[in-house]
Amino acid sequence: MAKALFFVASLLLYVLSLSSLAVATQRLDLAGSYKPIKNIDEPEIQSLGEFAVNEHNKQAKTQLQFQKVISGEMQIVAGTNYNLRLTALEGTNSRTYGTLVYTDLNNKNNLINFFDVPN
């Protein structure tokens, strides 16, 4: 009985260590390099685009209306950088913009850059 219990405990520790190694490998793969955002339609990603437009409006005293994030990539640092392309209405014209939003470890968003992308 004791041998069987020891075997099960050893097997469990082995499986847990493999699981931890897989998670650590995934994080190392992400750390430092930009990776494409797989699901651009996720509400979190769309809200980052909306945040960028709203913050740009405050800073530049414009009245852009957020439409949609259309592409992006992310970089894991001490927080996360989101390099996004989005569309917004300027009056009745839809235009494409680029933005860099940094989310710190406390989940506070900061607009780093916002610029017009020529069509």
Side-chain angles (χ1 to χ4, degrees), residues 49-101:
E50 187 171 15
F51 164 81
V53 170
N54 291 339
E55 194 63 24
H56 173 74
N57 282 339
K58 288 179 199 172
Q59 294 176 8
K61 307 221 183 317
T62 57
Q63 295 183 344
L64 299 176
Q65 293 179 325
F66 173 74
Q67 289 181 296
K68 182 177 182 161
V69 174
I70 55 175
S71 67
E73 53 188 9
M74 60 189 283
Q75 176 189 39
I76 305 295
V77 290
T80 308
N81 286 318
Y82 294 91
N83 183 7
L84 306 174
R85 292 290 181 267
L86 58 87
T87 57
L89 287 175
E90 182 178 29
T92 58
N93 298 326
S94 181
R95 299 186 60 162
T96 304
Y97 297 92
T99 187
L100 180 62
V101 175

Side-chain angles (χ1 to χ4, degrees), residues 48 51 80 101-111:
L48 286 169
F51 164 81
T80 308
V101 175
Y102 169 70
T103 301
D104 67 21
L105 295 174
N106 296 316
N107 288 321
K108 182 177 185 274
N109 296 326
N110 301 285
L111 181 64

